[in-house]
Amino acid sequence: MENRIYNFSAGPAVLPEEVLLEAQKDLFALPGVGMSILEISHRSKTYDAIHQEAKEGLKKLLDIPDDYAILFLQGGASLQFSMVPLNLMPPKNKADYIIHGSWGKKALKEAKRVGTINIAATTEADKFKRVPTQDELKLDPDTSYVHFTSNETIEGVQWHKEPEVGNIPLVCDASSDMLHKKIDVKKYGLIYAGAQKNMGPSGVVLVIIRKDLLERSQDSLHTMLNYKIHAENDSLYNTPNTFGIYIIKLVTKWLLGLGGLDEMYKINKKKAQLLYDCIDQSGGFYKGHAEKDSRSLMNVTFNLATEELEKKLIDEATKAGFSGLKGHRSVGGLRASIYNAFPLKGVEALVDFMRDFQKRNG
């Protein structure tokens, strides 16, 4: 197939075309190496350069201070749901969790296996249509850390400013909006993010952890679950996902070439505004799930009047070259994931399609 369709999948998600083409060009043999990135040893000088360039790209994009470690791990965010409490909850064995969607609930479930959890706030009674307000947070001043999910892909709800938690380490699952804008890393104790939304392919999870928190990782932990071990070995205790990290290196280069995360944020806001305007101006034909001040720039969730009409739109959209618009199986509806690499022209094409669909079915 010569022509690429528009991929609205929530993840694994669209990658920059420039990155795909560069990876394709060098896939058979890296220049000057004579081997594919899929074949080289993770202990080789060639791979070490790739590994360090990926880290340096992230440091430049996010201004990551030297007192933070950058780790490339495996198991996705789902394993981090366990690793975070196993490493950071001792010795107090309690933590605060802020819940505003399905992934936060999954993180909460695993944390409860480790220690005592205080639900600092939840918007489940509001069907996860918004993030909690600062006034709603009931934080335990003696807690080990405060955990939140920056962007909930299923419900399409996003924090646009991180919660204020004082001197308590703030832990963030940023899997679905990492690198969509500049954040102040110094406000966080730990950030983790699966790569398959904005950074690369599935199979890599990025962890950025303040180095003093590594001292909480106890020697009694299983080796592969210990942040301190991974930091001491520069994520090379075992064979990492070398290809995934190579793609992360290319993605950071692409973002820096665009002008960095401030420029990426401008583009993301423009894309999301186009789609939300289409929904808001439809006279109720399209109904957004999230409240306006909590709307995600990455995952636009909405419904039509009936499931039959939603199915019709999805079927017609698929035939027209728009893939991945079906909402998550747990909530239904529709979802357009417009991550960093999703092109502006693709959002414009979807808006044209949606307006035409409304004229024919409204």
Side-chain angles (χ1 to χ4, degrees):
M1 179 181 289
E2 294 181 358
N3 297 319
R4 285 169 58 81
I5 64 174
Y6 290 122
N7 174 17
F8 291 93
S9 173
V14 61
L15 284 163
E17 290 187 4
E18 293 92 328
V19 167
L20 292 173
L21 290 170
E22 185 169 353
Q24 179 189 49
K25 178 172 64 74
D26 293 339
L27 185 62
F28 185 72
L30 287 165
V33 178
M35 290 185 290
S36 169
I37 180 61
L38 299 172
E39 300 170 310
I40 64 172
S41 168
H42 64 295
R43 305 293 182 189
S44 66
K45 290 183 178 179
T46 300
Y47 175 72
D48 181 64
I50 290 168
H51 194 90
Q52 301 309 321
E53 285 172 33
K55 290 171 62 178
E56 283 302 312
L58 290 165
K59 287 187 74 170
K60 288 178 182 177
L61 286 167
L62 291 165
D63 290 333
I64 300 173
D66 290 338
D67 59 340
Y68 283 75
I70 300 172
L71 307 178
F72 296 121
L73 306 181
Q74 298 169 51
S78 294
L79 182 55
Q80 294 307 305
F81 296 163
S82 298
M83 284 185 70
V84 166
L86 285 169
N87 283 267
L88 298 191
M89 207 182 289
K92 297 176 181 178
N93 289 329
K94 56 183 180 178
D96 284 8
Y97 275 67
I98 303 169
I99 310 298
H100 67 97
S102 301
W103 292 107
K105 287 184 68 176
K106 290 188 175 185
L108 173 69
K109 180 182 177 181
E110 301 308 315
K112 284 181 175 179
R113 302 177 191 273
V114 180
T116 302
I117 303 302
N118 169 49
I119 298 177
T122 178
T123 56
E124 188 163 14
D126 294 331
K127 298 182 179 179
F128 294 139
K129 291 185 177 183
R130 63 180 181 87
V131 301
T133 65
Q134 186 67 35
D135 291 342
E136 290 176 300
L137 301 186
K138 307 300 181 186
L139 301 172
D140 178 354
D142 193 44
T143 196
S144 297
Y145 62 86
V146 180
H147 179 285
F148 79 110
T149 306
S150 55
N151 181 71
E152 286 283 2
T153 58
I154 294 175
E155 291 82 10
V157 175
Q158 184 179 33
W159 291 80
H160 297 295
K161 181 183 178 183
E162 55 271 293
E164 296 177 12
V165 298
N167 294 324
I168 304 168
L170 183 62
V171 174
C172 180
D173 174 3
S175 292
S176 54
D177 65 356
M178 189 65 172
L179 302 184
H180 89 288
K181 70 173 184 179
K182 195 74 163 283
I183 59 172
D184 186 354
V185 173
K186 295 188 294 295
K187 291 183 178 181
Y188 298 83
L190 185 149
I191 306 167
Y192 63 93
Q196 68 274 14
K197 316 285 189 178
N198 264 347
M199 291 187 289
S202 58
V204 184
V205 60
L206 169 69
V207 174
I208 303 170
I209 180 171
R210 208 173 66 213
K211 290 179 180 178
D212 66 293
L213 294 176
L214 293 170
E215 298 308 313
R216 295 191 188 182
S217 299
Q218 300 179 352
D219 293 340
S220 58
L221 278 175
H222 288 252
T223 302
M224 285 299 292
L225 299 178
N226 191 314
Y227 286 139
K228 191 175 182 180
I229 295 294
H230 288 296
E232 289 172 349
N233 289 273
D234 195 17
S235 307
L236 295 166
Y237 179 84
N238 69 316
T239 306
N241 183 339
T242 52
F243 180 74
I245 296 166
Y246 162 73
I247 297 294
I248 290 174
K249 184 201 85 162
L250 297 184
V251 169
T252 61
K253 186 175 87 169
W254 173 74
L255 284 166
L256 288 165
L258 282 180
L261 297 186
D262 288 339
E263 189 61 33
M264 188 72 255
Y265 187 41
K266 292 177 186 176
I267 297 169
N268 283 329
K269 286 193 292 184
K270 184 176 182 178
K271 291 188 296 185
Q273 190 66 52
L274 279 171
L275 195 43
Y276 284 121
D277 282 349
C278 176
I279 292 169
D280 292 341
Q281 295 166 6
S282 70
F285 185 80
Y286 299 112
K287 299 175 182 177
H289 172 76
E291 293 185 6
K292 288 187 178 182
D293 60 356
S294 294
R295 283 174 163 176
S296 171
L297 298 184
M298 300 285 97
N299 312 98
V300 179
T301 52
F302 59 100
N303 292 84
L304 282 78
T306 65
E307 289 186 15
E308 289 74 21
L309 202 55
E310 291 172 351
K311 185 177 185 300
K312 184 179 181 183
L313 186 150
I314 292 167
D315 289 344
E316 290 188 17
T318 301
K319 293 173 184 175
F322 303 104
S323 176
L325 285 171
K326 186 177 181 181
H328 191 273
R329 60 187 179 275
S330 65
V331 297
L334 293 99
R335 172 177 57 179
S337 296
I338 49 175
Y339 299 117
N340 284 359
F342 194 90
L344 175 62
K345 64 181 180 179
V347 178
E348 293 170 339
L350 177 63
V351 166
D352 288 343
F353 171 84
M354 288 172 62
R355 286 177 173 154
D356 179 68
F357 184 85
Q358 181 180 354
K359 286 179 182 177
R360 292 184 286 106
N361 295 275

